[in-house]
Amino acid sequence: MTPPLLTVSDLVVQYHRSGAPPVRAVAGVSLDVGPGEVVGLVGESGCGKSTLARAVCGLTAPAEGRIDFDGTPVRPLGVRRRDPALTRVQMVFQDPYGSLNPRRQIGAQIADGIRTAAERGEPTDGTTPQQYLTRVGLPESAAARYPHEFSGGQRQRIAIARALAARPRLLVGDEPISALDASAQAQVATLMRSLAVESGAGLLFISHDLSVVRLIADRIAVMYLGRIVETGSTAEVWDAPRHPYTKALLAAVPRADGAGILPTELPGDVPDPAAPPAGCRFHPRCPAAFDRCAREEPQLIAGGVACHLYAASDHGLQPLRSPH
Ligand SMILES: Nc1ncnc2c1ncn2[C@@H]1O[C@H](COP(=O)(O)OP(=O)(O)OP(=O)(O)O)[C@@H](O)[C@H]1O
Ligand SMILES: [Mg+2]
């Protein structure tokens, strides 16, 4: 097996607020992304996905745990400064309006990406901004134009071209399709997948849209209140979810045609991440909770689930109780 490109181990990221307990937005997460691998990260709003993405990109300091990228620890250097080696991690954000400069020609913005790779001391391979535009499905003539001349989906393609020009080893997309028209969503997601896989880069793709995640991810990680509660191959998680939270998420998704958006609300309230429930964080909302769940926090076991209903055994994951 190829060694992971990105290794997140027992990561804790917290936000400090005056006069209140810190919010542990990421509360002990371990996650790998390998070269050419697409990992989809899903979970309800506020569960810590963006915080995790920012930490992976070296924009937020971990309180505990570590992040390694290409064998080197990822650490922020200070406000607005990134380690030049971290330009091999490129991000694509939700809002393609905000991430492009409205007053500069698109070709010049893609050239910034090319320069980023050169500044790392890598010999250039001669790919021009026009060629990067072609790779993302736009005409070469777009280089001389400005962002406002394009649709949201096209602008997101431009943002992807700029990221690609920096020759990343890892692409991180934080809801990169949620601001796009339905017709552009699957196209942009599929494009991100094929560009990452072709170049041997990894892709961490955060999305509320399970139907799109299912389409492009090799693996899915499900996050709840700062923790990964289940992870597995896309087929495993989609067809045979184990964690009661994953089951609830999937059950709430309309899937007659296999499609679906994460529900905005499951039954019960999402607890305050500053004061998470004792034991399993999901137990107050869990239909299968029993006494142990309120006492003891389950760890992610070898079979890929963090739930007291299961135990790891020599034969894989063994259900200890009926998960309803
Ligand atoms: N700068 C901040 N200061 C204090 N708390 C914050 C800050 N940013 C995020 N949080 C809190 O941290 C938790 C995780 O937020 P985060 O943005 O990582 O979630 P998310 O999963 O990306 O949500 P969404 O799906 O809505 O984008 C939330 O409870 C949020 O309110
Ligand atoms: Mg977010």
Side-chain angles (χ1 to χ4, degrees):
M1 229 184 90
T2 10
L5 197 58
L6 175 75
T7 311
V8 176
S9 318
D10 304 316
L11 183 73
V12 175
V13 183
Q14 32 190 40
Y15 295 108
H16 295 276
R17 304 169 302 168
S18 56
V23 179
R24 282 164 77 92
V26 173
V29 162
S30 298
L31 182 76
D32 288 349
V33 182
E37 186 181 35
V38 180
V39 176
L41 182 66
V42 302
E44 283 167 290
S45 182
C47 71
K49 303 179 298 296
S50 294
T51 305
L52 177 60
R54 289 174 50 78
V56 162
C57 298
L59 296 170
T60 305
E64 293 167 32
R66 60 183 289 157
I67 305 169
D68 289 285
F69 172 65
D70 245 356
T72 309
V74 170
R75 271 193 216 98
L77 292 180
V79 182
R80 306 188 74 86
R81 272 188 66 220
R82 283 180 86 208
D83 181 342
L86 285 181
T87 58
R88 303 215 72 170
V89 181
Q90 287 287 316
M91 287 152 283
V92 178
F93 296 101
Q94 176 169 343
D95 177 18
Y97 295 74
S99 60
L100 295 172
N101 184 333
R103 281 178 288 279
R104 291 180 69 215
Q105 281 181 330
I106 283 153
Q109 300 196 50
I110 298 175
D112 290 345
I114 297 175
R115 208 158 24 249
T116 301
E119 281 165 6
R120 286 196 305 260
E122 288 172 22
T124 151
D125 64 0
T127 309
T128 62
Q130 285 79 359
Q131 286 167 327
Y132 281 113
L133 285 165
T134 319
R135 277 206 213 162
V136 299
L138 292 172
E140 292 193 353
S141 59
R145 292 163 68 186
Y146 291 87
H148 73 265
E149 299 176 60
F150 294 89
S151 69
Q154 289 169 327
R155 254 184 279 224
Q156 202 60 306
R157 287 171 190 267
I158 296 163
I160 294 167
R162 187 182 54 186
L164 211 61
R167 293 209 262 158
R169 298 263 293 135
L170 178 71
L171 269 176
V172 177
D174 188 1
E175 304 274 2
I177 58 166
S178 19
L180 309 183
D181 293 344
S183 62
Q185 290 189 340
Q187 288 170 9
V188 168
T190 317
L191 176 72
M192 284 185 79
R193 179 193 162 84
S194 57
L195 293 170
V197 171
E198 263 167 35
S199 63
L203 172 60
L204 180 62
F205 189 90
I206 299 172
S207 178
H208 278 93
D209 192 330
L210 279 166
S211 63
V212 174
V213 170
R214 178 189 175 218
L215 194 67
I216 68 158
D218 301 308
R219 241 169 355 109
I220 296 182
V222 181
M223 211 168 162
Y224 183 75
L225 214 62
R227 310 265 298 181
I228 305 276
V229 297
E230 177 158 7
T231 174
S233 72
T234 298
E236 279 169 346
V237 174
W238 182 266
D239 296 327
R242 281 120 3 140
H243 196 287
Y245 177 63
T246 315
K247 289 184 189 210
L249 275 186
L250 292 177
V253 160
R255 40 193 302 192
D257 59 349
I261 310 283
L262 276 190
T264 42
E265 275 180 41
L266 290 178
D269 293 326
V270 181
D272 177 3
C280 171
R281 289 157 180 253
F282 186 58
H283 90 267
R285 297 171 82 193
C286 181
F290 59 107
D291 48 357
R292 188 179 173 193
C293 306
R295 287 198 313 264
E296 203 183 311
E297 181 146 39
Q299 303 302 313
L300 197 61
I301 54 175
V305 66
C307 175
H308 292 313
L309 296 173
Y310 301 89
S313 79
D314 293 344
H315 316 289
L317 208 57
Q318 194 191 343
L320 297 177
R321 288 174 161 245
S322 157
H324 285 227

